């Protein structure tokens, strides 16, 4: 290879690195900060100046031992343990014996925790999403949790249901997706209204 060709290749590499590795990412980041600053910054949620989570990433409402806290609404199961760095699904198909066994275990655990009939446990309480980090649950899953949360906080179920209704979002653009309940804002609203338990 001639020195002239080698020098041209090095120059092309440097230009591509500057344009594609620096300029383009900075441009896209700048546009994102202008168009959707909250989302571009991770949609972080703060309480009294402290970051408590992200509106876009599910998180567990558990104690130090990993047991669910009865005074909070529980999120959808996560294969990744709600670790954003380890996002991913189980890749188990609907007929996989491991998934069938896991769904049975989750159904029994959720029914026992909620004091509900196992047949009333909705699908999103039983299966993890593809990302394992869904921040929302279905209104049906929230509905079976209202009684438990109200009892744990010693407040009327109607008041907890009103907060669930406030945290429920409809379909995007009126027809895309399904109604969903935003768990983190709901749990924070519980603390604001009734205090931390």
């Amino acid at each position: 290879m001639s020195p002239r060709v080698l020098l041209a290749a090095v120059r092309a590499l440097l230009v591509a690195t500057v344009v594609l590795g620096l300029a383009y990412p900075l441009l896209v980041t700048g546009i994102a900060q202008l168009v959707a600053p909250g989302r571009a910054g991770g949609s972080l949620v703060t309480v009294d100046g402290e970051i408590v989570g992200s509106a876009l990433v599910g998180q567990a409402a558990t104690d130090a031992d990993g047991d669910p806290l009865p005074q909070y609404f529980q999120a959808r199961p996560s294969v990744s343990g709600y670790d954003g760095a380890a996002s991913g699904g189980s890749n188990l198909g609907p007929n996989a014996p491991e998934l069938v066994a896991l769904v049975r275990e989750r159904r029994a655990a959720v029914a026992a925790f909620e004091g509900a009939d196992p047949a009333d446990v909705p699908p999103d309480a039983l299966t993890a999403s593809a990302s394992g980090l869904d921040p929302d649950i279905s209104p049906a899953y929230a509905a079976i949790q209202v009684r438990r949360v109200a009892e744990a906080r010693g407040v009327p179920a109607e008041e907890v249901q009103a907060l669930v209704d406030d945290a429920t979002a409809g379909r995007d653009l009126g027809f895309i997706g399904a109604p969903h309940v935003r768990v983190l804002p709901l749990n924070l609203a519980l603390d604001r209204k009734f205090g931390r338990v």
Side-chain angles (χ1 to χ4, degrees):
M1 180 181 295
S2 73
R4 184 174 178 197
V5 171
L6 183 60
L7 185 60
V10 169
R11 277 196 306 245
L13 175 66
L14 291 174
V15 168
T17 299
V18 169
V19 171
L20 300 175
L22 295 173
Y24 178 74
L26 289 173
L27 175 69
V28 171
T29 300
I31 291 171
Q33 289 291 346
L34 288 173
V35 174
R39 287 184 179 243
S43 297
L44 300 177
V45 177
T46 59
V47 174
D48 299 327
E50 179 183 345
I51 297 172
V52 296
S54 169
L56 302 176
V57 178
Q59 59 189 50
T62 56
D63 62 17
D65 296 326
D67 296 325
L69 294 169
Q71 67 269 29
Y72 291 108
F73 282 83
Q74 298 301 309
R76 189 170 179 182
S78 173
V79 174
S80 66
Y82 305 100
D83 179 2
S87 173
S90 67
N91 294 328
L92 296 173
N95 296 326
E98 299 93 346
L99 181 60
V100 173
L102 186 58
V103 165
R104 284 188 182 128
E105 288 173 27
R106 286 178 180 158
R107 183 183 308 275
V110 170
F113 187 61
E114 302 301 343
D117 185 319
D120 294 335
V121 177
D124 62 318
L126 305 175
T127 57
S129 68
S131 70
L133 300 172
D134 278 8
D136 306 323
I137 57 175
S138 68
Y141 189 21
I144 69 168
Q145 298 185 60
V146 168
R147 181 199 52 79
R148 171 189 42 84
V149 171
E151 286 178 3
R153 289 180 174 269
V155 299
E158 296 78 24
E159 292 186 33
V160 173
Q161 183 61 53
L163 292 177
V164 170
D165 294 341
D166 290 343
T168 302
R171 298 173 187 273
D172 294 335
L173 301 177
F175 67 94
I176 299 173
H180 52 278
V181 179
R182 298 178 300 263
V183 178
L184 178 60
L186 174 57
N187 285 336
L188 293 174
L190 287 167
D191 284 346
R192 276 194 306 275
K193 182 158 186 168
F194 306 117
R196 292 182 66 91
V197 178

